[in-house]
């Protein structure tokens, strides 16, 4: 093996070791730089995982329903009822787990303030969901108004 090849292999090994050590250094510092969001988005904190899952499911469900409304001439009452039940369940689950999170972090004012903001945004989403369902349940369904409700 010539000197150039040996130097390249040595350099590659050093770079590999440095890259391999970076994740462990970052993980070692993780607790030092956690903010309120970091505390409530932890990898093993179940209420946070459940809230995130509920929000993502609600968003996906609402987007699917919006597509349905856009492509349908007439809304089927059974579909509207399904959406009412499922979206309501996702939003209720999120509210329930946010309350658990608030209780768990009651002594941490910064985290409670972050949860309060999320709860306010969720209240807006709950109201928008109720308005959308009322709009879709209306016998004289207006597609343009329905699309606006779905977007909200």
């Amino acid at each position: 093996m010539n000197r150039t090849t040996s130097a390249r292999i040595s350099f590659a090994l050093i770079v590999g070791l440095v890259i391999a050590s970076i994740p462990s250094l970052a993980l070692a510092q993780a607790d030092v730089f956690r903010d309120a969001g970091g505390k409530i988005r932890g990898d093993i904190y179940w209420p946070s995982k459940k809230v995130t899952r509920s929000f993502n499911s609600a968003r996906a469900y609402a987007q699917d329903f919006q597509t349905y409304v856009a492509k349908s001439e007439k809304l089927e009452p059974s579909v509207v009822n399904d959406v009412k039940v499922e979206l309501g369940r996702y939003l209720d689950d999120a509210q329930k787990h946010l309350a658990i999170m608030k209780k768990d972090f009651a002594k941490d004012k910064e985290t409670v303030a972050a949860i309060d903001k999320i709860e306010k945004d969720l209240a807006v989403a709950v109201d928008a969901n109720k308005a959308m369902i009322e709009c879709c349940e209306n016998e004289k369904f207006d597609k343009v108004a329905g699309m606006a409700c779905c977007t909200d």
Side-chain angles (χ1 to χ4, degrees):
M1 187 178 323
N2 66 24
R3 198 164 216 225
T4 306
T5 305
S6 177
R8 286 182 183 169
I9 291 172
S10 296
F11 181 73
L13 286 173
I14 291 170
V15 169
L17 289 172
V18 169
I19 290 173
S21 67
I22 289 173
S24 61
L25 292 173
L27 290 174
Q29 298 296 322
D31 287 340
V32 176
F33 298 107
R34 290 184 97 175
D35 60 353
K39 291 175 189 172
I40 61 178
R41 288 188 304 266
D43 288 341
I44 60 170
Y45 184 58
W46 185 252
S48 171
K49 293 289 190 185
K50 183 61 177 163
V51 167
T52 302
R53 188 172 293 114
S54 295
F55 284 157
N56 289 338
S57 296
R59 183 180 301 114
Y61 209 86
Q63 288 170 342
D64 288 346
F65 185 60
Q66 185 178 19
T67 301
Y68 168 78
V69 171
K71 294 181 178 183
S72 297
E73 292 299 317
K74 180 179 180 254
L75 299 183
E76 294 295 325
S78 62
V79 173
V80 174
N81 190 55
D82 285 346
V83 171
K84 180 180 183 177
V85 169
E86 288 301 310
L87 272 177
R89 184 175 59 84
Y90 292 136
L91 297 173
D92 289 345
D93 280 352
Q95 285 176 325
K96 179 177 83 173
H97 284 88
L98 282 172
I100 292 169
M101 291 169 67
K102 202 174 198 178
K103 181 179 151 204
D104 288 349
F105 290 100
K107 295 179 182 177
D108 186 339
K109 291 181 182 179
E110 182 184 13
T111 303
V112 169
I115 294 169
D116 284 340
K117 181 174 180 347
I118 295 169
E119 285 179 326
K120 287 177 185 171
D121 292 342
L122 180 58
V124 171
V126 167
D127 291 342
N129 181 51
K130 287 177 185 173
M132 176 187 71
I133 295 301
E134 287 174 9
C135 179
C136 292
E137 288 178 331
N138 189 347
E139 287 182 29
K140 296 179 181 178
F141 177 71
D142 177 9
K143 194 169 192 168
V144 174
M147 291 303 298
C149 289
C150 286
T151 301
D152 291 343

